[in-house]
Amino acid sequence: GDLIENVDKLAAEHRFDYLIIESTGISEPMPVATTFAHDDGHGQKLLGNVARLDTLVTVVDAKHFLREYNAVRRQKLVDRRELGAEQTDQRTIANLLVDQVECANVLVLNKVDLTSKREIARLEILLNKLNPKARIIHSIFGKVDPTLLLNTHSFDMAQAEQMPGWFQELLGNHVPESQEYNIASFVFRASRPFHPKRLDRLLSSGFSDVLRSKGMIWIACDHRFCLLWGQAGTSMRIEQGGPWFHGSVDPSQWPTDMSAEYRTATYGDRRQELVFIGTDMNEAHIRKRLESALVSDQEFNHGHDHWASWPNPFATSDEGTSNKIQKLGLKRPRSGKHAEVQVMKKTTTSEVCTKAAPKS
């Protein structure tokens, strides 16, 4: 679009060594970053032929980030007119804040002069949980040494796709906990499906003290596709992902790093893999609730032909919205606040379901 056209023109002038692109406050950085590939895979040339993406920076307001995150986590972008979002934009502010942190390879922590050392330390620990590979730089009035941002050769698309803390946790690269600030994370794994009705009930009550959770899930009534689970604050998104390898791809074509157990398991690579990041989390209680939503031993023995007859509350229509709900107010048991659940259908096949993460 306009970005590609304008960068092409500036590059052709040969007058500039560096170009700083400031996205709008509601843009997702990764789609912008992908325009710096050489082509789109269909022959359309992109910016990679005339420019190199050097650094992807997100500025974090140290004074207001946590307060705003907690205050607006129920709000959608369209609820704040000053943000200029289209009426069709269903993203929540909480999800946008997390997405912008997770994709950057440099995080500028601004307004540190207006924040206590303890709060800065707590925020840094949280940011490190969300994005353990990003470099964190402190700033006042947004002043940063240009050498930390320009010509760093620090951005790599393959690495950027693996930057989010939830992805690193799935790979077994655990970020040490901070006992002082009670910020922790854990991975939930299971090799049997969720019962759709019990999972729906579980989501309707939310998760206290969980700031971020993400991963992929397997529900019993959908044998072909995985679902992508994404939660930020009280906002939850359930999206249709790609097909499981088992039953859709010849085993000889599976990735070489696929866990051996998935090749021999009755249901192949179908599984639950979820990462939870939060403060003061009761891990044992969350695990117990998740396990209670799985199919029982008796139900598991019935097999997928029987499961297919169960109603699917997460089914999506061709228009990409849930046949049952598009959003649902969810009560958080301890805070009394409500969350929002969105059930969506992705327009492209997700690679998340086809990546077999090594077990930690």
Side-chain angles (χ1 to χ4, degrees):
D2 292 341
L3 175 63
I4 296 176
E5 180 181 348
N6 289 323
V7 174
D8 269 335
K9 289 181 179 179
L10 291 172
E13 294 178 9
H14 300 289
R15 294 193 298 123
F16 306 100
D17 295 316
Y18 307 110
L19 179 65
I20 297 176
I21 300 173
E22 182 179 1
S23 299
T24 66
I26 63 173
S27 68
E28 296 180 32
M30 281 304 286
V32 176
T34 58
T35 63
F36 285 85
H38 286 278
D39 60 67
D40 64 357
H42 301 286
Q44 178 67 41
K45 289 186 177 180
L46 299 178
L47 293 176
N49 297 285
V50 297
R52 170 180 58 84
L53 181 57
D54 182 75
T55 315
L56 190 57
V57 182
T58 291
V59 180
V60 178
D61 187 327
K63 181 175 176 59
H64 298 114
F65 182 84
L66 287 176
R67 186 180 70 186
E68 286 293 306
Y69 180 86
N70 289 319
V72 304
R73 53 189 175 183
R74 288 177 52 204
Q75 285 188 321
K76 293 181 181 178
L77 297 177
V78 294
D79 295 332
R80 299 269 290 268
R81 294 182 59 184
E82 67 271 21
L83 295 178
E86 299 288 340
Q87 286 300 313
T88 55
D89 195 333
Q90 294 299 302
R91 291 176 297 164
T92 65
I93 296 176
N95 272 298
L96 177 64
L97 290 175
V98 170
D99 287 344
Q100 291 180 341
V101 167
E102 289 182 335
C103 73
N105 62 303
V106 173
L107 297 173
V108 175
L109 201 53
N110 194 34
K111 299 182 183 178
V112 293
D113 57 320
L114 303 178
T115 313
S116 69
K117 291 183 179 180
R118 179 177 177 80
E119 282 302 302
I120 292 174
R122 181 171 181 265
L123 181 55
E124 282 190 338
I125 291 169
L126 175 60
L127 295 176
N128 193 41
K129 278 289 184 184
L130 293 174
N131 189 345
K133 290 193 173 184
R135 180 179 185 179
I136 297 177
I137 301 172
H138 290 186
S139 72
I140 299 174
F141 292 109
K143 295 180 179 179
V144 178
D145 183 347
T147 62
L148 299 176
L149 306 179
L150 300 177
N151 204 30
T152 66
H153 294 268
S154 60
F155 183 82
D156 180 87
M157 181 60 73
Q159 289 187 359
E161 292 174 344
Q162 299 185 16
M163 278 181 181
W166 63 268
F167 190 79
Q168 290 299 313
E169 292 282 345
L170 286 182
L171 292 177
N173 300 326
H174 179 65
V175 178
E177 321 294 11
S178 173
Q179 298 298 326
E180 181 180 1
Y181 299 99
N182 295 320
I183 298 175
S185 63
F186 70 91
V187 179
F188 174 80
R189 288 188 171 93
S191 56
R192 63 175 59 193
F194 281 119
H195 188 290
K197 185 176 181 179
R198 290 198 289 274
L199 176 61
D200 197 21
R201 189 183 306 127
L202 171 67
L203 294 179
S204 71
S205 57
F207 295 95
S208 296
D209 304 315
V210 175
L211 297 173
R212 179 66 160 156
S213 65
K214 198 170 178 73
M216 57 182 163
I217 60 174
W218 169 29
I219 58 171
C221 54
D222 188 345
H223 197 61
R224 183 181 178 189
F225 294 97
C226 77
L227 292 180
L228 305 182
W229 166 307
Q231 172 253 330
T234 57
S235 174
M236 170 72 77
R237 288 186 297 184
I238 300 294
E239 301 177 312
Q240 180 180 298
W244 299 106
F245 271 127
H246 185 263
S248 63
V249 178
D250 188 279
S252 64
Q253 301 300 313
W254 288 19
T256 55
D257 60 351
M258 175 72 78
S259 176
E261 70 175 277
Y262 299 141
R263 296 179 180 275
T264 57
T266 302
Y267 293 108
D269 57 319
R270 294 174 182 83
R271 62 199 185 275
Q272 320 294 351
E273 284 192 345
L274 294 169
V275 176
F276 290 82
I277 300 172
T279 57
D280 301 303
M281 290 189 301
N282 187 334
E283 178 181 340
H285 180 63
I286 294 174
R287 286 186 179 277
K288 184 176 181 180
R289 294 181 62 208
L290 290 166
E291 289 166 356
S292 68
L294 298 171
V295 298
S296 66
D297 291 341
Q298 183 178 359
E299 291 166 337
F300 187 74
N301 291 333
H302 288 320
H304 69 89
D305 288 337
H306 175 77
W307 304 335
S309 65
W310 294 349
N312 184 359
F314 306 100
T316 54
S317 66
D318 291 337
E319 288 75 28
T321 57
S322 168
N323 290 329
K324 177 185 177 185
I325 54 174
Q326 183 172 0
K327 59 184 179 180
L328 176 68
L330 304 186
K331 184 175 292 185
R332 289 171 65 94
R334 290 173 56 181
S335 66
K337 296 180 181 178
H338 286 72
E340 175 187 80
V341 167
Q342 295 178 319
V343 184
M344 307 176 180
K345 182 176 181 180
K346 293 184 75 66
T347 56
T348 57
T349 300
S350 170
E351 295 182 356
V352 175
C353 297
T354 60
K355 288 182 179 177
K359 292 196 171 182
S360 55

